[in-house]
Every structure is written in C-alpha cells, then in structure tokens.
Amino acid sequence: MAMPRGRRPESIVVRVTGDDGLSGWGEVAGSDMCWADIEDRVGPALLGLEWELPEEVGGVGGLGGSAAASATDIACWDLWCRRQGSPLSHSLGGTRTSIMAGARLSAEPTLDVLLTRVNRLVGGGYTRVTLAVHPGWDVEPVRAVRHAFPAIALQADAGEAYTESPEHLKALEALDAYGLLAIERPFPGGDLPAYARLQRQIGTAVCLDPADLETVDTAIAMNAGRMLGLRIARLGGLTAARGAHDRALAAGWDTWCGGADGFGIGQAAAVALASLPGCDLPSDVTETPTATAVVTPPVAITGGVVAVPLTQPGLGHAIDETRVARLARQSLRIPA
C-alpha cells in the first residue's frame, strides 16, 4: 500500500494480491484516519479471507461502509475481473461504451468570473455544469448562467448549507424557475423529512448524496427526492454504489456518478460505475493529470466524453508500479 503525493489531493493506493500472484488496485482520497483504518482493521481482516465474488468481501468482518473499505473493495473487484478476463464495466453490469462528463464549479467571486468559467467548460464540450450555491449566492448566479447558456444542463449543489427557515425555503423554491436538473444536498445531515417536504414543494428533482443503502431505501420510501449522486468512497465501495444504483433504477430515480480526484485508479473505477444503465446523466469524472497518473493510459476527457475501456480486464488500465513507488511518501505492507 502506498500514499502518493501531489499538490492536491493525496490518495491512498491499495494493492491486493491473491495466492495466484495476480493483483488488483484501489484508491481513495487520503487521510490519516483512513490510513489507520486500513492498517489496523481493513487490511488485517482481508488476510486469509476466502471469497469467490467481490460482493462477498464487504460483508465479512464489517469491512463495508467506510472510505478505507472502498479502496479495498475497488481492488478486489479489479483483481476478480483480471482473473476472469473481464472489463470492470461489464462485470458491474455496465452497458455504455462512453459517458458524458459533467463539471462542478465552486462559488465564484463575481458573476463575470462565473460566466467566463462556464463558457470555457461549454467550449470544452461539457454538457452539464453543477454550480455551488449557498444562502446569498444562489438565485442570482443560477439566473445569470441560465440566461447566458439556455441549453446547458444545470444543477445546483447546496452543500447542506440551507435550513427550513422561510428565507432559505424561498430561495430554494425560487431556483425552481430556472430549469435545473436537480438541487443537490439542500439540508444538513441528509435530513430526509426536510428533503421530502422540499420535493413536494418544487418540480426540480432533489438530489441525495447517500452514505449507505439504508438511507437510499428510506429516501425512496419517503419520496425524499428523485435523484442520487453515487460517490464510491462515500458509499464504501463499488458493491454498495452498484446496489444504490439498482435501487434507484427500480424506483425510477435518476442517477449520476461522482468523480474522484486522484492518480487514475479512482477515476477509472468511477468511469466503470458511470457506465451502468441507470446513469443517464453526465457524471463528474475528472481527468488524470499526466504528470501524476499511475494508470496507462490516463483517464481522459475529449469533447466532454470519456471512453469506457473495454479491451483490457479489470480497471482497463495498466498500473505503473514504478511511478507509484516514486510518488509514495509512506508505504505499508500487510503482513509486514
């Protein structure tokens, strides 16, 4: 296991090797807590674990439902697919050969800067842009972007910054007039009753950012939205993310895949997840900077489109182990 370093972000790269010598690779955004979880809990639990299908790994020893577990889950899926000679996309149930890429923008200092950045994205082929909004920076920037780019698919990420105060609800309801795909994460802590009340008040889809399948099931039962953002690390791995997708698809909810900044392994996993049939919306897949990519070829966006690799098994990319070792600032082998 190694933690490569870059300007931002840092990632933990996990390699899982089977008795046959084949390896699978996973990645998650780095943190001291996540590193400790792999060292103390997740890594030791995998030693000697007998499993036939990658879906079995998360249910053993409480390995599911954490960022650390997401990296090992990706690695186990990659290993299993390499053994089977199957692309990860196909093994997950993916049906697409390419996916549309969306982009996210933080709150900008001025409307002019915001419009310039949206224009740059539109010129690069992006068909969906998600704007970060918060109280005091919501209706005005959304209105400006919608008027300047009437055809673009537009989404607002509220970052859990709103409450059910009359002032906040008035702003959220006002966003309904601008043809948004969704209002994402409106309230703190995934307050599902508040999500459900807002969804009854507006025509725009309310989008959840679930951390577990129980939340997905409850939200669907409560009609607390109509869209899911699938983030592999937040859900604890590909197995849970696929489960969330399947539940949303059966309920008629839209889904899209959240991206992952990193060194290429996390992005490759996100591309495979975004190929699932229910992910009809552009997904937030990010490119891998060539200077720090540990996958060959790097994950690349061309004209707003990302190709799903289908000619190689597993993640569909070769792993540059030499570069992993060179970029690492800390490494760990289990068992030592």
Side-chain angles (χ1 to χ4, degrees), residues 25-312:
W25 296 78
E27 181 181 10
V28 68
S31 72
D32 291 341
M33 183 178 298
C34 186
W35 182 268
D37 195 21
I38 292 175
E39 181 176 8
D40 299 335
R41 184 180 68 92
V42 177
L46 281 174
L47 290 180
L49 179 66
E50 295 185 4
W51 54 275
E52 294 183 3
L53 298 172
E55 295 96 324
E56 300 170 7
V57 176
V60 176
L63 291 183
S66 72
S70 76
T72 55
D73 182 83
I74 293 170
C76 289
W77 271 98
D78 185 36
L79 172 58
W80 185 83
C81 289
R82 290 176 189 269
R83 283 176 175 163
Q84 302 300 313
S86 171
L88 176 59
S89 169
H90 282 178
S91 295
L92 290 172
T95 57
R96 306 178 195 280
T97 59
S98 63
I99 61 173
M100 300 300 294
R104 306 180 79 85
L105 288 176
S106 59
E108 305 298 342
T110 67
L111 290 178
D112 286 343
V113 172
L114 175 64
L115 293 175
T116 297
R117 294 187 177 179
V118 173
N119 186 61
R120 189 177 301 125
L121 292 170
V122 172
Y126 288 89
T127 57
R128 188 197 74 174
V129 173
T130 299
L131 305 179
V133 298
H134 57 75
W137 179 264
D138 39 40
V139 177
E140 188 176 6
V142 168
R143 180 194 299 119
V145 173
R146 172 54 72 216
H147 286 174
F149 304 94
I152 196 171
L154 196 59
Q155 189 163 315
D157 180 4
E160 301 187 346
Y162 291 78
T163 69
E164 291 187 278
S165 70
E167 180 183 4
H168 286 188
L169 288 177
K170 181 179 179 180
L172 292 172
E173 292 170 4
L175 294 177
D176 206 24
Y178 298 102
L180 298 178
L181 283 177
I183 298 173
E184 183 183 345
R185 303 187 299 171
F187 303 115
D191 183 349
L192 295 183
Y195 276 59
R197 288 188 288 270
L198 178 62
Q199 186 64 90
R200 289 195 293 269
Q201 295 299 315
I202 63 176
T204 301
V206 176
C207 179
L208 279 75
D209 181 25
D212 53 62
L213 296 180
E214 182 179 357
T215 298
V216 174
D217 290 336
T218 304
I220 290 172
M222 293 176 60
N223 294 315
R226 294 203 310 270
M227 186 183 294
L228 290 184
L230 305 176
R231 291 182 169 87
I232 298 172
R234 180 164 169 79
L235 283 160
L238 286 166
T239 302
R242 185 181 66 172
H245 160 275
D246 293 348
R247 286 161 164 77
L249 182 62
W253 285 37
D254 292 318
T255 58
W256 50 271
C257 180
D261 291 329
F263 295 79
I265 297 170
Q267 287 97 326
V271 169
L273 181 65
S275 73
L276 293 177
C279 292
D280 291 324
L281 302 174
S283 291
D284 294 334
V285 176
T286 56
E287 289 190 298
T288 313
T290 303
T292 57
V294 300
V295 297
T296 305
V299 177
I301 301 173
T302 304
V305 176
V306 183
V308 179
L310 299 173
T311 59
Q312 297 184 56

Side-chain angles (χ1 to χ4, degrees), residues 1 15 35 38-40 43-45 47-48 331-336:
M1 301 181 185
R15 179 180 184 178
W35 182 268
I38 292 175
E39 181 176 8
D40 299 335
L47 290 180
S331 62
L332 168 69
R333 184 180 180 89
I334 302 175

